[in-house]
């Protein structure tokens, strides 16, 4: 078994709470090869890439390049390219799309408004099949190419609206992908799992199997959402929302202000209290800790083994209920 296969299929590291975080995605079609930092190392003008990085900083908009699966023409000439903007917050998800020949057009967008979920009538509403975006950038991580590209090709051949994408994090969970409009990501994915996820998205649902979380939320909130969904067996995509996520033990810092390398310091693991609301009025408080108690794992495929850092849900407390007669308001569900 290859290193990539061993990492992606045999690792025991949980995938919940590992999705890339972005409330809004800006996706730019760019054919040809991609480098490790695709925005500045591809056939996209690097000046445009740098301008996009600066313009979207702090706006909750994440920019990525996309291309159709298959052979990638090494084309430098101007040609029509597809653009998508997608907001993933519950109850307010949308996708807008257009086609341009000059990608500089994106530099005039109001990224602050887009990050807040206000498209302002931008472009045209996308009304097609759910979008499947499979990470395939081998220059960023070889497993994304070795495992992601065959999956993307198989999905495209099956008729799914599939695109390859440059980088969505969590390479060690390859093949990894996310589905729009809801923005739920999946890891260690198979074609069968993705087809189920697409079918569910058509009906406004998600699948919980191999789910990493919804990109609209922080990673502790992603883990809390999935834990409540597992408890309720709730698959409706917009049935749950994150009301708030408060740090109860902050992440320890190094003396230079950066996060510690290799996960939290022993005995001071960061923790959060996350409030999850259901559309029927129920509310839960979910306790989440960042732990490093699993087997050593690489940060990406082929990297040295290091201390893991996973999101662990330790309890779920129902603090309101529409079924008060049968469910105590203070019911606590411990999670090992």
């Amino acid at each position: 078994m290859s290193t990539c296969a061993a990492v992606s299929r045999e690792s025991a590291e949980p995938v919940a709470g590992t999705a890339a975080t972005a409330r809004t995605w800006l996706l730019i079609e760019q054919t040809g090869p991609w480098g490790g930092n695709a925005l500045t190392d591809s056939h996209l003008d690097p000046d445009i890439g740098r301008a996009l990085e600066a313009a979207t900083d702090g706006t909750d908009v994440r920019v990525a390049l996309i291309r159709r699966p298959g052979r990638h023409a090494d084309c430098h000439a101007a040609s029509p390219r597809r653009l998508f903007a997608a907001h993933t917050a519950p109850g307010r998800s949308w996708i807008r799309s257009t086609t341009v020949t000059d990608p500089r057009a994106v530099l005039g967008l109001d990224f602050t408004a887009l990050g807040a979920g206000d498209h302002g009538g931008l472009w045209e509403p996308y009304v097609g099949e759910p979008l499947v975006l499979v990470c395939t950038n081998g220059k960023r991580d070889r497993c994304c190419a070795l495992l992601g590209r065959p999956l993307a090709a198989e999905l495209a051949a099956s008729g799914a609206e599939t695109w390859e994408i440059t980088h969505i994090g969590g390479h060690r969970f390859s093949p990894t992908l996310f589905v729009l409009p809801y923005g739920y990501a999946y890891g260690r994915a198979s074609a069968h799992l993705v087809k189920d996820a697409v079918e569910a998205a058509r009906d406004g649902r998600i699948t919980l199997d191999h789910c990493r979380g919804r990109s609209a939320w922080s990673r502790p909130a992603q883990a809390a959402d999935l834990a409540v969904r597992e408890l309720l067996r709730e698959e409706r995509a917009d049935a749950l929302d994150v009301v708030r996520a408060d740090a109860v033990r902050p992440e320890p810092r190094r003396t230079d202000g950066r996060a510690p390398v290799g996960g939290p310091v022993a005995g001071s693991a960061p923790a959060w209290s996350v409030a999850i609301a259901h559309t029927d009025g129920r509310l839960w408080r979910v306790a989440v800790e960042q732990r490093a108690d699993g087997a050593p794992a690489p940060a990406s495929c082929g990297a040295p083994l290091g201390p893991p850092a996973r999101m662990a849900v330790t309890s779920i407390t129902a603090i309101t209920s529409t079924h008060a007669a049968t469910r105590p308001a203070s019911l606590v569900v411990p999670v090992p």
Side-chain angles (χ1 to χ4, degrees), residues 186-209:
Y186 298 86
R188 305 184 188 123
S190 65
H192 177 74
L193 180 148
V194 181
K195 291 172 185 176
D196 285 347
V198 170
E199 183 66 30
R202 290 192 189 109
D203 298 332
R205 299 179 295 105
I206 68 164
T207 57
L208 296 174
D209 189 23

Side-chain angles (χ1 to χ4, degrees), residues 29 36-37 57 84 107-108 114 173 177 179 182 219 227 251 273 276 280 292 298-299 314 331:
E29 184 177 5
N37 182 4
D57 185 36
F84 295 98
L107 298 179
L114 290 174
F173 304 123
L177 57 95
V179 180
Y182 304 114
R219 291 179 177 177
E251 186 172 357
S273 177
I276 301 288
D280 66 11
T314 58
L331 175 67

Side-chain angles (χ1 to χ4, degrees), residues 229-250:
R229 287 185 177 279
E230 288 284 358
L231 179 66
L232 304 179
R233 303 309 301 171
E234 177 60 79
E235 294 184 339
R236 289 171 294 173
D238 288 339
L240 299 182
D241 201 353
V242 174
V243 177
R244 60 186 300 161
D246 299 312
V248 295
R249 285 200 303 272

